Every structure is written in C-alpha cells, then in structure tokens.
Amino acid sequence: MPAIADVLGEFAARITLRDVPDEVLGRARHLALDSVGVAFAAVDQEFTRRARKAAAALGPGDQPVLGLPDRLAPREAALLNAVLVHGLDFDDTHLPAITHVSATALPVSLAAAIQHGRSSEELLLAYVLGIEISARVGTVAHGGFHATGFHPTGLAGAFGSAVAAAKLAGLPADGIAESQRIVGSMASGILEFLADGAWTKRLHPGWAATSALTAATFASVGWPGPEEVYEGRYGLYATHLRDTEWDATEALDGLGERWELLATAVKPYPSCHFTHAFADAILLLKESEGFAASEVETVRCLIHETPAAAVCEPIERKRRPQDDYDAKFSLPFIAGACLARDRLTLDEFTPESLADPEILRLAQLVEIADDPDSRFPQAYSAEVEIVLTDGRRLHRREDVNRGHTDRPLSEADIRAKFTDNLGEHAQPTMEHVLALGTGGSAAEFAEALRAA
C-alpha cells in the first residue's frame, strides 16, 4: 500500500473546485465567515497587542492582517491571523478530531494564496483541503492526543495546512506528500497551558501555519522527509499516542466521498467546546424551572474523563481561574457564570467577571463525576443535576452538544454571531466573505478584510 502522505498528496493534487460538492463549499464559506468574525472580535485584546508586537519584530512584509492595519511577511501574517482566529477560543472545532481546523487552514491559505498570486477560487479550494486533511489526521487519534497531553490543533493542523500551502504553491502530488513529511517534524503543541491559563495555546495554530509554509517551501526544492510520517515506527501516531490503539489508514476512509469538513462545529459560546453542553443544560434548566442562583445548593456535572482532565482538573484551581483563558477551560467557573448571569458571552470572561464574588461562590458548589454514557469524542455530552435549598433535584442531559452535525447552528445563527462580533460594519463584510470563491484574487479578498 502507498504511504498515507502519498495518497493524500495525490488526492490534493488532482482535486478541483468542481469536485467539491456545493454543500461542502457552502459550509466552508460559513466557517470562513465565523473565523473572520471571531478574528475581528479579538483585535482589541491584550494578547493581540502583544502578538502584533512580536510578529512585527520578526520582520516586515506586505501581506494584510484580518481587522488590523498591520502588514507582515507571509509566515508572520499567517501567525498573527491564526492568533486572531483562535485567541478568544470562539472558533470552530472538528468534533471527532477535537481540532480547531479553520484556525490553521484559513490563515495558511490566505498567506500562501497571496504569496503565489492565486485566485479566490484557489484560496477556497485550499481552505477546504486544509480543513479536510486536518480533520482526518486528527480523527485517527480518537481523542488520544488529548489523553497524552498534546493539542491536536497544533499536530493535525500542521498537516492539513501543509497540504493547503503546497497546493497553492503549485506543487505536484509528490511535493504535496513531501510537505506533509517535512511538517511532521514541526507539528507540536502541549496541553500544559491547562495548568495555569498560559497563552501558548493561542500560538499553536499559528505555529502550525508557519510550519506549513516552511515545509511547502522546502518541499519545493526537493527536501526529503520520512516516507511514513504518519504510520511509521517513529511517525506521528506512534510517538504521540501513548497507549491508544490507532490505524492510520482511517485518515483515508471515504476520501473525496465523505467530507469531514461537514462535521466541523461552529461554537455558540466563547469557551472550550467541552463546556458547551453544560452551559446549555444549566441555562435551559434556569429558564424552564425559574429558580434563582441563591437557591442553588450543589451542581453535579457528569463528564467523560478526557475532557474532564482539560476543564475540571485540578478542581480547586478550576473553581478560581486566574485569567480569561483559565476561565474558558473551567467547567466550575462556566457553570457559576451561567447560574449567576443567565448567559455565557465574552463579557463573562472579563477581569471583572473573573472577580465576581457570586460567580466564584457558585463555582465552589460544582461537583464532578464520570459520565459512563458519554458519546465522547463523537459528541461532547453533558449531564447536570442541580440540588436546590428546598430539596428539589433538577436534572438535564445534553447527549449531543449544540453545533454538532446532529444539532448544527443554522445559517441565521452563524450570521447573528458574526454580527455580534463585528457590530455596525457587519453586513458588507459578511457578504464579501460569503462570496469567497466567486471571482477576484485572493489578495483582493484579503485586502477587503483589513482595517483601513
């Protein structure tokens, strides 16, 4: 059997936009819209200010950046765009792969398409490929990357981005395969940020994108990489999955017939996707039962052990997060915020909210238990039991999180989220993004998304 990188390379080399179903292209445009919206929402954040300073120090260039006046070299533009898309943790997730696919695929496709003078149609196709390959590479792990301590976005995202970058560079099948083989030595990202809310996670998709551009460039001059970068004795899966069983050929199942891009979920809340079903359960219980936060005695949350490690451990720290990113990965804090505020928006992750005594009091009441019926990683299930001071026990289970392919956000939901993120200038920008791939150059597309 040919090496997996070769099969993916041949697929990417021969596919054209005409080979992609309209449903997939429509969904890709919606994912791009969501990504641009969350990037614009991040432009005034402190992490953006620091990322801009660092990217500028790495070298000047002429490529535009989403929502900002900055101009940077291709790799730095991809890096900063990825930080913008992913920085608020409000961007899309391919659920089985547990990978933020657009955060790598869109920035690298923009950078490479502009660099090589491509059309918006070629940009759209590369973006679709970047998502598709990242999703397939991540899905093979069945949640095992997280269990071992690696962030799939930095791992799987590097490979999908390498395919997108090589396609836009005009490389043939063997060059696209080589790009994957080279980027395998650059794919990275550890989950230690979960211990203290460190900002390194925000860099993971940007590093994947810059690594992909580097790998494609080296592939273009004939730089050889290891043939079995995925399935080899020291390949991706053997080195990054401790005890998990894996079959790397799963990445090829239904290739070109079943589109994994369609399993990419748009987030309704600006927090780790593992917490969303819990937020929905609590908010729906409050709405239906009409109790006050002051009546809550305990909140019992049932969750699978793998997502629990990310959003519930160590429990005492999760009950009092130290910064906004810490809070986005804290199920106790998010439960407390939903109970106290009857909502979960970006406003619940400000410094004032992190110090809100009522949210912190309620976070102390959250208990965590294993969920034997969880559908993880196919879906991010939640079960919640709230005990009130009058003895009532309120129960709700969300077996499938909202945004999942079984419960997708509608086009109206995605448009509304975009409008919330952009404000008064949303409509013309929205129509521009939704027209991606219908004419013009990639450079023209990106320039229209740059701040004046």
Side-chain angles (χ1 to χ4, degrees), residues 94 96-101 104 134 137-139 141 143-147 149-159 187-191 201 204 208 236 274:
H94 182 272
I98 323 173
T99 299
H100 296 276
V101 284
T104 57
S134 296
V137 171
T139 298
F145 288 142
H146 268 88
F150 292 105
H151 186 204
T153 300
L155 299 180
F159 288 95
S188 63
I190 58 174
L191 295 178
K201 179 176 182 284
H204 292 171
L236 172 69
F274 296 156

Side-chain angles (χ1 to χ4, degrees), residues 117-152:
R118 302 301 181 188
S119 67
S120 71
E121 288 83 359
E122 291 169 302
L123 166 60
L124 176 59
L125 178 59
Y127 175 49
V128 168
L129 281 171
I131 291 176
E132 189 68 19
I133 304 307
S134 296
R136 288 174 168 276
V137 171
T139 298
V140 171
H142 296 287
F145 288 142
H146 268 88
T148 313
F150 292 105
H151 186 204

Side-chain angles (χ1 to χ4, degrees), residues 77-394:
L79 172 66
L80 185 51
N81 277 329
V83 170
L84 287 163
V85 173
H86 187 55
L88 292 172
D89 219 271
F90 208 3
D91 52 316
D92 64 38
T93 309
H94 182 272
L95 298 179
I98 323 173
T99 299
H100 296 276
V101 284
S102 283
T104 57
L106 185 61
V108 78
S109 297
L110 283 169
I114 296 169
Q115 181 181 12
H116 298 291
R118 302 301 181 188
S119 67
S120 71
E121 288 83 359
E122 291 169 302
L123 166 60
L124 176 59
L125 178 59
Y127 175 49
V128 168
L129 281 171
I131 291 176
E132 189 68 19
I133 304 307
S134 296
R136 288 174 168 276
V137 171
T139 298
V140 171
H142 296 287
F145 288 142
H146 268 88
T148 313
F150 292 105
H151 186 204
T153 300
L155 299 180
F159 288 95
S161 293
V163 170
K167 176 78 169 179
L168 288 163
L171 300 188
D174 59 349
I176 299 175
E178 213 64 73
S179 211
Q180 297 166 73
R181 292 176 173 131
I182 295 168
V183 89
S185 290
M186 307 173 188
S188 63
I190 58 174
L191 295 178
E192 186 58 23
F193 70 88
L194 292 170
D196 53 15
W199 288 8
T200 46
K201 179 176 182 284
R202 290 182 164 117
L203 281 175
H204 292 171
W207 181 249
T210 57
S211 296
L213 292 166
T214 302
T217 303
F218 273 78
S220 72
V221 299
W223 196 275
E227 182 177 2
E228 295 189 330
V229 66
Y230 295 109
E231 67 269 42
R233 180 168 58 124
Y234 297 119
L236 172 69
Y237 299 113
T239 55
H240 288 74
L241 299 176
R242 186 182 298 125
D243 299 315
T244 306
E245 292 186 7
W246 52 272
D247 177 2
T249 62
E250 286 185 34
L252 308 179
D253 290 348
L255 185 63
E257 299 173 0
R258 186 190 73 248
W259 290 88
E260 289 297 330
L261 181 147
L262 297 174
T264 303
V266 173
K267 283 188 172 186
Y269 301 117
S271 62
C272 175
H273 229 128
F274 296 156
T275 67
H276 289 194
F278 291 95
D280 270 345
I282 291 169
L283 292 172
L284 288 167
L285 279 174
K286 280 212 74 179
E287 181 181 4
S288 62
E289 301 296 333
F291 61 91
S294 59
E295 298 178 75
V296 175
E297 190 170 278
T298 61
V299 183
R300 191 164 185 262
C301 296
L302 273 61
I303 184 172
H304 185 279
E305 62 179 356
T306 297
V311 299
C312 305
E313 299 173 8
I315 189 63
E316 290 308 319
R317 182 182 181 88
K318 294 296 184 182
R319 288 184 174 132
R320 189 174 289 274
Q322 300 303 299
D323 64 17
D324 65 320
Y325 227 54
D326 213 6
K328 289 172 183 285
F329 286 81
S330 167
L331 179 52
F333 179 87
I334 286 165
C338 289
L339 288 166
R341 304 272 183 91
D342 295 335
R343 68 188 189 205
L344 188 63
T345 70
L346 289 169
D347 288 340
E348 276 60 70
F349 298 98
T350 63
E352 294 76 19
S353 294
L354 265 63
D356 186 322
E358 180 66 354
I359 294 177
L360 295 176
R361 181 189 72 81
L362 291 161
Q364 301 300 312
L365 306 180
V366 175
E367 301 172 353
I368 305 299
D370 182 59
D371 181 1
D373 300 318
S374 174
R375 291 181 57 185
F376 180 86
Q378 284 71 35
Y380 305 157
S381 308
E383 189 164 331
V384 175
E385 183 185 61
I386 298 176
V387 179
L388 303 180
T389 52
D390 63 6
R392 281 186 292 161
R393 291 179 177 270
L394 310 178

